[in-house]
């Protein structure tokens, strides 16, 4: 069972907020009254005060939150209830007991404190509600003229008055402090919202600038690569061919970087769309491997491909973006694996709704990733440490793009890695499937 914010508050807080604590106070007053009057008088006062308290609880519940400004009806009911409470000290004073004056004075002071505590934010309304107590004080001063009790009640007036005045002033000071804090917080919120808007505008301008520049640079870069290929077809010696290879490799690297930046800006702008089409699963692995097997062999790495599980004949997916994810993961695996092996594993599973549960695992036996570096792994323009950029190159955009593409496919990208032992990157997604093999239909 989920606990609400009200349920997590202390019991006493919940009782006060609900107005139930007043019944405990009524009971304690009745017990005090019983010490100077008969049980019948104390019990009668208890019943009348309890009924008045129930009525007041209902009225306050319908009038709004307890912190709201008092309404006329709430003030009227509170004043009538206070008059009933004020009868308790009067009953004690008139009982003629040895401790009648002491108990009556204590109840009067307690009544004032209760009213001004409950209505501390509205001292004027508290004066109105406590009017029955004030009337009782005047009545007692007049009635006790010439008796010892007269001086007891009269001496109570300045003590109680100063106590209530200090309470009201302290409450007002705290309210002013809280108001100043709230105003400052409101101003900070406005400043933060403005700073956020400025940051969003700057980020949008940056993304738009990068997108425009990347798009514009692709045209001359295609010209450079095209001219390099034409130059390669001409009569060149070995030294000139090496220069052309450098131009081609550098141009391809720049083109890859421009494509990554363009993809990032499209994703941030929410303009990256998937182009889904029917794709044959037979041969899908070869499309996802692409030229990566040759790159692994060039580094003398063992390269493996596995296809396991259940597969339909066709799936509906954006195979180009799927290949982009696969090629990026394989390229990273090859780059960060000095010796050992790199593998691609595709796992298919027929889901209950007839779709294909697709899983792509790229594992390597390379340098691995420390646990503290995994959090920043999929952040744009980040690598696990600065030395990676110097040793292996790259901008750190690839994995960020892969995760965002996986999310666009409705899938998820995860990683498991041990420093010095290798890493496994996993893409999971679900694709619409067409024409499951009959054997699988029967088995299902």
């Amino acid at each position: 069972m989920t606990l609400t914010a009200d349920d997590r508050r202390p019991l006493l807080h919940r009782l006060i907020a609900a107005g139930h604590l007043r019944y405990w106070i009524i009971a304690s007053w009745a017990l005090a009254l019983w010490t100077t009057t008969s049980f019948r008088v104390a019990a009668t006062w208890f019943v009348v005060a309890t009924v008045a308290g129930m009525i007041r609880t209902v009225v306050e519940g319908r009038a709004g939150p307890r912190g709201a400004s008092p309404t006329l009806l709430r003030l009227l009911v509170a004043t009538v209830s206070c008059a009933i409470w004020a009868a308790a000290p009067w009953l004690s004073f008139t009982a003629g007991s040895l401790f009648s004056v002491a108990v009556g004075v204590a109840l009067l002071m307690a009544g004032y404190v209760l009213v001004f505590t409950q209505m501390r934010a509205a001292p004027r309304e508290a004066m109105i509600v406590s009017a029955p107590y004030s009337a009782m004080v005047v009545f007692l001063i007049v009635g006790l003229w010439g008796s010892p009790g007269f001086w007891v009640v009269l001496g109570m007036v300045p003590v109680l008055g100063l106590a209530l005045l200090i309470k009201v002033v302290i409450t007002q000071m705290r309210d002013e402090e809280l108001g100043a804090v709230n105003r400052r917080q409101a101003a900070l919120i406005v400043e933060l919202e403005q700073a956020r808007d400025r940051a969003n505008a700057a980020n949008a301008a940056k993304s738009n600038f990068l997108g425009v520049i990347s798009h514009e640079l692709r045209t001359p870069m295609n010209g450079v690569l095209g001219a390099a290929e034409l130059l390669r077809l001409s009569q060149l010696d070995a030294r000139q061919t090496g220069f052309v290879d450098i131009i081609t490799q550098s141009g391809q690297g720049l083109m890859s970087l421009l494509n990554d930046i363009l993809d990032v800006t499209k994703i941030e702008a929410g303009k990256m769309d998937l182009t889904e089409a029917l794709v044959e699963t037979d041969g899908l692995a070869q499309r996802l491997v692409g030229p990566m097997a040759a790159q692994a062999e060039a580094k003398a790495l063992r390269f493996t491909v596995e296809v396991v599980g259940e597969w339909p004949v066709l799936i509906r997916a954006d195979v180009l973006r799927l290949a982009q994810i696969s090629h990026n993961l394989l390229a990273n695996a090859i780059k960060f694996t000095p010796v050992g092996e790199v593998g691609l594993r595709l796992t298919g599973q027929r889901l209950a709704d007839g779709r294909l549960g697709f899983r792509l695992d790229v594992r390597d036996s390379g340098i691995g990733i420390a646990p503290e570096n995994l959090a920043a792994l999929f952040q744009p323009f980040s690598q696990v440490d600065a030395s990676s950029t110097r040793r292996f190159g790259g901008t750190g955009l690839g994995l960020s793009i892969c995760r965002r593409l996986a999310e666009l496919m409705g899938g998820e990208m995860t990683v498991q890695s041990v420093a010095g032992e290798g890493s496994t990157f996993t893409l999971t997604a679900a694709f619409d499937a067409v024409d499951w093999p009959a054997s699988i239909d029967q088995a299902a």
Side-chain angles (χ1 to χ4, degrees):
M1 182 178 64
T2 303
L3 296 178
T4 63
D6 288 339
D7 294 332
R8 288 191 291 268
R9 291 189 301 173
L11 176 61
L12 190 59
H13 292 190
R14 299 201 300 271
L15 289 173
I16 294 175
H20 298 327
L21 191 62
R22 65 166 54 101
Y23 304 116
W24 293 14
I25 300 175
I26 292 172
S28 67
W29 277 43
L31 289 175
L33 187 60
W34 188 15
T35 62
T36 58
T37 63
S38 65
F39 174 80
R40 181 179 178 181
V41 172
T44 302
W45 179 88
F46 172 78
V47 172
V48 175
T50 300
V51 173
M54 291 179 179
I55 296 174
R56 185 176 178 182
T57 299
V58 173
V59 172
E60 289 179 346
R62 294 180 178 179
R66 296 179 65 84
S69 299
T71 62
L72 180 60
L73 179 60
R74 178 184 284 183
L75 283 175
L76 178 61
V77 172
T79 304
V80 173
S81 176
C82 192
I84 296 173
W85 284 56
W90 178 78
L91 291 172
S92 178
F93 275 116
T94 58
S97 173
L98 178 62
F99 302 104
S100 292
V101 175
V103 173
V105 170
L107 292 178
L108 273 175
M109 296 184 71
Y112 272 112
V113 171
L114 287 173
V115 171
F116 277 83
T117 298
Q118 183 180 11
M119 307 183 69
R120 57 191 178 277
R124 294 182 180 179
E125 288 78 2
M127 292 292 293
I128 296 174
V129 173
S130 63
Y133 291 122
S134 301
M136 184 58 59
V137 170
V138 174
F139 173 79
L140 292 176
I141 290 176
V142 173
L144 295 173
W145 180 268
S147 67
F150 169 80
W151 297 107
V152 174
V153 177
L154 190 63
M156 174 197 74
V157 174
V159 174
L160 181 60
L162 286 175
L164 296 179
L165 178 63
I166 292 173
K167 183 174 185 61
V168 170
V169 172
I170 291 177
T171 299
Q172 292 176 343
M173 291 173 60
R174 289 182 176 177
D175 289 344
E176 290 177 359
E177 292 174 357
L178 289 175
V181 171
N182 290 335
R183 289 191 295 272
R184 179 55 182 163
Q185 287 180 340
L188 287 175
I189 291 174
V190 172
E191 293 176 4
L192 289 174
E193 289 177 347
Q194 293 174 347
R196 179 202 61 196
D197 294 339
R198 290 193 297 269
N200 289 339
N203 184 63
K206 177 265 300 179
S207 298
N208 183 63
F209 172 78
L210 288 176
V212 171
I213 292 299
S214 300
H215 185 76
E216 293 298 327
L217 288 178
R218 291 173 68 183
T219 300
M221 187 54 61
N222 283 325
V224 171
L225 292 175
E229 289 301 318
L230 292 176
L231 186 59
R232 186 191 303 277
L233 297 177
S234 62
Q235 298 295 326
L236 301 175
D237 56 30
R239 185 167 177 268
Q240 293 171 332
T241 302
F243 291 156
V244 172
D245 290 340
I246 294 174
I247 295 174
T248 302
Q249 293 173 3
S250 300
Q252 290 173 346
L254 285 174
M255 183 63 76
S256 176
L257 175 59
L258 293 174
N259 290 334
D260 284 347
I261 294 176
L262 191 59
D263 284 342
V264 167
T265 55
K266 285 183 178 180
I267 291 173
E268 290 183 349
K271 297 180 180 179
M272 175 67 76
D273 297 321
L274 299 179
T275 304
E276 296 183 343
L278 290 177
V279 181
E280 293 183 358
T281 57
D282 185 20
L284 178 61
Q286 286 75 14
R287 299 184 67 173
L288 298 184
V289 170
M292 297 299 123
Q295 294 184 18
E297 293 175 0
K299 287 190 64 175
L301 300 176
R302 181 171 176 266
F303 190 86
T304 60
V305 178
E306 295 180 88
V307 180
V308 297
E310 304 172 328
W311 293 88
V313 176
L314 300 170
I315 61 172
R316 182 174 296 278
D318 188 336
V319 70
L320 294 179
R321 294 300 182 183
L322 199 58
Q324 181 179 354
I325 295 174
S326 175
H327 291 174
N328 193 290
L329 296 179
L330 288 171
N332 283 344
I334 295 170
K335 179 167 57 174
F336 294 107
T337 304
V339 293
E341 64 176 352
V342 172
L344 172 69
R345 180 185 176 92
L346 301 179
T347 305
Q349 179 184 6
R350 184 172 186 176
L351 303 179
D353 59 359
R355 304 178 76 201
L356 170 68
F358 177 86
R359 175 176 176 134
L360 181 150
D361 293 293
V362 174
R363 65 184 185 278
D364 63 69
S365 59
I367 61 176
I369 305 166
E372 61 271 16
N373 293 324
L374 290 176
L377 193 60
F378 293 98
Q379 299 299 319
F381 303 100
S382 68
Q383 291 189 335
V384 293
D385 56 54
S387 63
S388 298
T389 303
R390 294 191 297 269
R391 292 173 56 194
F392 302 103
T395 61
L397 288 173
L399 290 178
S400 172
I401 294 173
C402 288
R403 168 165 280 187
R404 299 297 294 274
L405 289 176
E407 292 172 352
L408 288 175
M409 294 178 183
E412 183 182 14
M413 177 77 68
T414 59
V415 58
Q416 294 180 344
S417 183
V418 178
E421 297 182 12
S423 306
T424 299
F425 287 83
T426 301
L427 165 67
T428 56
F431 300 118
D432 293 334
V434 179
D435 195 10
W436 286 91
S439 59
I440 296 179
D441 291 333
Q442 295 171 0

